[in-house]
Amino acid sequence: MGGHDGGMAGLEGVEQPRRHGSATAARWSPAVEDERALTALELFGNPAEAEVPLPSRPESAATARRLTQIVVLRHWGLSPKLTEDTVLLVSELVGNAVRHTGARVFGLRMRRRRRRIRVEVRDPSRGLPCLMPVQELDINGRGLFLVDTLSDRWGVDLLPRGKTTWFEMRAPDR
């Protein structure tokens, strides 16, 4: 995925209200984002309880980010930094599943284990992701590089019908 421009991360595909005759900027707020995350949780389910199926469309990345944020930050009570990194890596894995697998649906699952969290994205393709060398000015192909850099471990488990791409990060016990 491309670089972050400081814009409205996580709000892609959400139409912002417009007022006739005035150019007002939409404002991001934690309360609004929490509300959207809670709505996503109600609509799709909790990926910490069971795998959540999401449609393989670009806007599902925003849903996956919201679900990840509410689980890691609110339900598990982990740090904002760990939440931010986890949300970024989920976005990368979901982006890969949407762009490269031809799937109609992918699954998101999150697990809290002793001193670590594990996030899994399952899709029906058996094509393996490939970690490519990244140059400083590259604007594409950085997804797995970020996963490799920010996570403690990551990998792919082949399934009879598809694969699960996962990463793990250290997290303090409660």
Side-chain angles (χ1 to χ4, degrees):
M1 293 189 67
H4 185 271
D5 62 1
M8 299 189 15
L11 298 178
E12 297 85 354
V14 176
E15 188 172 331
Q16 298 299 313
R18 296 183 190 266
R19 297 185 182 168
H20 298 290
S22 71
T24 58
R27 290 196 180 115
W28 181 90
S29 80
V32 168
E33 194 56 29
D34 275 353
E35 185 68 29
R36 289 188 172 123
L38 287 169
T39 300
L41 202 61
E42 289 174 20
L43 288 173
F44 295 97
N46 186 337
E49 294 173 358
E51 182 178 287
V52 171
L54 294 169
S56 189
R57 295 192 309 252
E59 55 269 21
S60 289
T63 301
R65 285 192 297 270
R66 289 184 182 116
L67 292 171
T68 301
Q69 175 196 346
I70 199 147
V71 168
V72 176
L73 188 63
R74 303 285 184 236
H75 292 186
W76 292 343
L78 299 174
S79 74
K81 173 65 173 139
L82 181 61
T83 301
E84 181 181 330
D85 288 349
T86 305
V87 165
L88 173 63
L89 299 188
V90 163
S91 189
E92 297 299 339
L93 292 188
V94 167
N96 285 348
V98 169
R99 279 191 301 278
H100 302 300
T101 67
R104 288 193 304 264
V105 175
F106 65 89
L108 174 66
R109 178 84 164 109
M110 302 174 66
R111 301 168 197 258
R112 176 89 190 260
R113 296 185 172 157
R114 189 168 185 214
R115 290 192 285 262
R116 38 180 77 255
I117 61 171
R118 180 180 173 108
V119 177
E120 302 172 346
V121 174
R122 187 183 56 80
D123 66 69
S125 169
R126 289 181 55 88
L128 295 175
C130 184
L131 178 60
M132 303 294 287
V134 175
Q135 302 299 318
E136 187 177 338
L137 298 178
D138 288 348
I139 57 172
N140 292 316
R142 291 180 170 269
L144 284 180
F145 172 79
L146 290 170
V147 172
D148 189 59
T149 301
L150 296 175
S151 70
D152 294 307
R153 293 176 7 141
W154 72 276
V156 180
D157 298 331
L158 284 176
L159 307 169
R161 293 178 180 234
K163 68 178 173 300
T164 299
T165 307
W166 55 268
F167 66 87
E168 293 182 349
M169 299 178 81
R170 276 190 283 279
D173 284 338
R174 296 172 207 226

